[in-house]
Amino acid sequence: MTIFRLKQLASTSFHAAAGVMQWNYDRAELIADGVVHIVGICFGLVAATALIVLTAVYATAADIAAVSIYVAGLLAMLVLSATYNLWPVSRAKWVLRRFDHSAIYLLIAATYTPFIMQLKDSYFAIAVLIGVWCLAIVGIALKIARPGRYDRLATGLYLAMGWSGMMLYDAVVERLPALTLGLTLAGGLLYTSGVIFHAWQRLRFQNAIWHGFVLLGAACHYTAILDLIVLT
């Protein structure tokens, strides 16, 4: 296995942490991960365009705004993940890592937006949405300013943000269609299950498998939003 090392050059201008980040993937693993990312971007662009067009035709102005936020978060995650993971090992890769991890916070908050906009008459639902966006902003700030310092905390925060919508369970069950609810829960379970492979660094093709779970989770949430906004 070819072992790459990305040096985190300590500097006040880049706030880089001291030490070494290992990039332990052989050629086959890198190719597999590249295929997953390319497939994700291609399908993401087509799906995002279709969702925007259908929302513009069949939904309200508020729905268009909420879906636009979601689409921006989805595409940012897909593009930044591909850029970071496929970029050659260099100092620039360490910088890209910050934006890749930050995009996860953005996607979680953006995914919540169209769902909670359907519950906009609930002050508690709006408070949850505001709280999720505030946590996303804090998380992004930490990733940009203190890269590599709080990675374990960040993983826990991703999961906590992702499942915080369970606080709205009663209202969601009452207001959302059964298919939308099922797809939303399936997406959350896929994301959560994928974290196992994200942490299982000794497993070959671990990174490609993790990103495959991310795409499946994103596909479930995309379909849930399509069903909620356009098809119901």
Side-chain angles (χ1 to χ4, degrees):
M1 178 181 292
T2 302
I3 298 178
F4 300 100
R5 291 177 180 271
L6 174 58
K7 293 183 178 179
Q8 304 170 359
L9 302 175
S11 67
T12 55
S13 59
F14 283 88
H15 301 284
V20 173
M21 183 184 75
Q22 295 189 5
W23 196 250
N24 303 327
Y25 305 109
D26 62 28
R27 185 179 298 276
E29 290 177 290
L30 293 173
I31 291 173
D33 197 36
V35 170
V36 171
H37 277 97
I38 291 171
V39 169
I41 288 178
C42 291
F43 277 95
L45 287 171
V46 173
T49 302
L51 183 59
I52 288 290
V53 171
L54 290 172
T55 303
V57 172
Y58 295 107
T60 66
D63 290 329
I64 294 172
V67 166
S68 297
I69 292 171
Y70 163 70
V71 165
L74 176 64
L75 293 180
M77 184 276 292
L78 292 173
V79 171
L80 288 171
S81 178
T83 304
Y84 162 61
N85 284 277
L86 302 182
W87 196 271
V89 176
S90 62
R91 181 174 181 172
K93 191 177 185 73
W94 173 244
V95 176
L96 289 169
R97 182 177 187 267
R98 308 176 189 190
F99 294 101
D100 170 46
H101 290 188
S102 296
I104 300 174
Y105 289 112
L106 180 62
L107 175 62
I108 294 171
T111 302
Y112 265 102
T113 302
F115 289 108
I116 293 186
M117 288 303 295
Q118 302 303 308
L119 307 172
K120 54 183 177 292
D121 56 338
S122 168
Y123 291 115
F124 183 56
I126 296 300
V128 169
L129 181 61
I130 293 172
V132 168
W133 273 104
C134 288
L135 285 175
I137 292 170
V138 171
I140 290 171
L142 286 175
K143 283 295 181 182
I144 297 298
R146 293 289 185 270
R149 301 286 179 85
Y150 306 105
D151 284 352
R152 292 184 179 179
L153 173 63
T155 300
L157 188 55
Y158 294 145
L159 291 173
M161 288 174 60
W163 287 103
S164 62
M166 293 300 293
M167 293 186 293
L168 301 170
Y169 182 79
D170 290 339
V172 166
V173 170
E174 180 181 345
R175 296 285 296 276
L176 298 186
L179 179 59
T180 299
L181 181 60
L183 287 167
T184 303
L185 291 174
L189 290 172
L190 283 165
Y191 279 125
T192 303
S193 300
V195 172
I196 297 172
F197 296 95
H198 175 64
W200 194 354
Q201 297 186 2
R202 293 180 178 273
L203 178 67
R204 194 161 183 245
F205 295 103
Q206 157 264 338
N207 211 34
I209 295 171
W210 152 239
H211 289 131
F213 271 88
V214 169
L215 290 186
L216 290 174
C220 285
H221 285 165
Y222 170 88
T223 309
I225 292 170
L226 178 66
D227 179 64
L228 177 65
I229 303 297
V230 177
L231 301 181
T232 57

